[in-house]
Amino acid sequence: MFGGGMARGLVKKAVATAVAAGAALVAVAAFGATVFYALQLLVVPLAAAAITFLLFAVIALAVVLIFVARSEAEDEEDEDDASGLGHRAYMLFRQRPILGTVAALAGGWIFLRNPALATMVAAAFTEKSHGSRRR
C-alpha cells in the first residue's frame, strides 16, 4: 500500500483540524449570541443586532489586515532566497503577469521547436554556484 503510515497520519491531522474548526465555529456563534443578548438588555433588539454585526465585522477586518501584513513581510523575506527556475518563474508571474505569460509562451515555442536548446537554457538557470555550500 502506498504510504500507509503517512496517509493515516495525514487523515488523523485532517480530522483533528476539522474538529477544531467546528468547535471554533460553535464558539464564535455562541459568543455572538451572548453579545447580542447582553446588548439587548441595554438597547432595542434591532440596535443590538446591528452593534453585534459591526463588532464582528471590525474584528474580522482587523484579523485580515494583520494576516495580510504578516504575509507581506514573509514574502519580502522569501524574495531574498530566490533559487531555482520554478521560484524565479513564480516571482516573475507574481510581479509582472503579462511579461510572465509572454515568457511562458516563448519558452513553450522554443521547447516545441528545439527541445535540446530548452534543456540547456533550463540547466543554465538551475545551475548553482559552487562557492558556498550549506549543510
Side-chain angles (χ1 to χ4, degrees):
M1 185 175 235
F2 175 70
M6 186 171 72
R8 215 173 292 143
L10 286 174
V11 169
K12 286 181 182 180
K13 288 180 181 179
V15 168
T17 303
V19 168
L25 178 67
V26 170
V28 168
F31 179 66
T34 304
V35 169
F36 170 73
Y37 286 119
L39 285 172
Q40 198 174 11
L41 296 173
L42 303 173
V43 295
V44 295
L46 186 60
I51 293 170
T52 304
F53 169 76
L54 288 175
L55 175 70
F56 276 81
V58 167
I59 290 171
L61 182 64
V63 168
V64 166
L65 291 176
I66 288 170
F67 278 109
V68 166
R70 185 177 297 160
S71 70
E72 285 179 359
E74 290 174 357
D75 287 345
E76 289 175 1
E77 292 174 5
D78 289 343
E79 289 177 4
D80 296 337
D81 298 335
S83 61
L85 184 62
H87 186 72
R88 289 180 185 174
Y90 171 74
M91 292 306 296
L92 177 66
F93 273 102
R94 235 178 119 218
Q95 293 173 353
R96 297 184 180 109
I98 294 173
L99 180 63
T101 304
V102 170
L105 290 172
W109 178 256
I110 291 171
F111 182 73
L112 287 174
R113 299 291 292 174
N114 191 352
L117 178 63
T119 304
M120 288 186 328
V121 170
F125 274 109
T126 57
E127 185 176 300
K128 293 183 180 178
S129 66
H130 299 289
S132 63
R133 289 189 176 177
R134 290 189 204 176
R135 290 187 181 199

